Amino acid sequence: MASMTFDLEAAIRTIEDYPKDGIQFRDITTLLGNPSAFRRAVDELVHPWAGSKIDKVAGIEARGFIIGGAVAHQLSAGFVPIRKRGKLPHETVRVAYSLEYGLDEMEMHRDGISPGEKAILVDDLIATGGTAEAAVKLMKEIGAEVVAAVFVIDLPELGGAKKIEDLGVPVRTLVEFAGH
Ligand code: AMP
């Protein structure tokens, strides 16, 4: 486990003070561009569910689409996009969630997951957990059984993973970074 974590951590680039002062932006484009790190990350994320039946993988726009698509393929599951308001063409369910400044809204297609289907939520990183919490609410609203939420990166000081576990959804993360 330790060596796996080390490899992946080394493949993630940190940009200081982006997008604003005081934020250490964890840039996964370097991980995605590294063939063995990308494969490793996807393999490790899906490991607990290898061989079990997962119907759908829901990915959060935009980096969650890239990892979520690969995770869905690996699990032989369908992929469902969770997008910013106004981007999806068919009937949607919508939820508001708070960002550091103000509110945003995300949507998914109402028929993206059928009631009772087993689904996994994917994003690149969990910080405060506000984004993932909103996504879990959408998935539950349309009747999904949310089996897990998985993220390459956890910022544990911000408490997001705990917030999602408190909703009854197990969380899997691969690399932890201190701070914001
Ligand atoms: P949160 O809702 O606070 O858990 O924020 C998670 C979302 O914001 C994810 O979609 C991340 O991609 C993005 N995010 C938050 N903090 C960072 C960070 N330090 N580096 C890269 N992305 C971040």
Side-chain angles (χ1 to χ4, degrees):
M1 190 72 184
S3 65
M4 178 278 289
T5 303
F6 176 79
D7 289 343
L8 287 182
E9 187 174 333
I12 296 161
R13 175 164 58 192
T14 296
I15 313 283
E16 303 287 340
D17 297 322
Y18 180 88
K20 58 184 179 29
D21 283 356
I23 302 288
Q24 292 192 293
F25 189 83
R26 307 302 178 177
D27 173 21
I28 61 151
T29 64
T30 43
L31 181 150
L32 297 173
N34 176 328
S36 46
F38 189 21
R39 168 158 290 286
R40 189 89 183 243
V42 173
D43 285 349
E44 291 294 335
L45 280 176
V46 306
H47 190 254
W49 299 280
S52 54
K53 172 139 178 53
I54 300 296
D55 300 296
K56 297 282 165 62
V57 171
I60 301 175
E61 187 174 5
R63 281 163 279 167
F65 289 179
I66 303 163
I67 300 164
V71 163
H73 179 78
Q74 188 87 335
L75 290 172
S76 300
F79 178 79
V80 185
I82 297 180
R83 301 206 64 180
K84 300 270 161 55
R85 179 180 181 161
K87 302 279 189 184
L88 289 168
H90 195 55
E91 189 190 342
T92 60
V93 285
R94 182 183 305 156
V95 66
Y97 63 106
S98 49
L99 298 169
E100 205 170 343
Y101 301 107
L103 282 181
D104 211 342
E105 290 177 299
M106 62 169 68
E107 295 181 327
M108 70 190 299
H109 279 146
R110 186 175 286 283
D111 61 1
I113 304 176
S114 301
E117 283 191 319
K118 288 187 172 23
I120 291 178
L121 176 67
V122 179
D123 203 0
D124 65 328
L125 178 149
I126 183 159
T128 65
T131 308
E133 181 182 33
V136 167
K137 278 189 194 153
L138 282 184
M139 294 166 77
K140 287 186 171 174
E141 185 179 335
I142 60 174
E145 182 190 333
V146 187
V147 171
V150 305
F151 309 84
V152 177
I153 302 166
D154 185 19
L155 306 184
E157 287 168 35
L158 297 180
K162 165 128 190 4
K163 187 182 279 179
I164 302 308
E165 278 168 352
D166 287 347
L167 297 173
V169 175
V171 173
R172 178 165 174 80
T173 63
L174 303 180
V175 178
E176 292 187 355
F177 287 107
H180 291 219

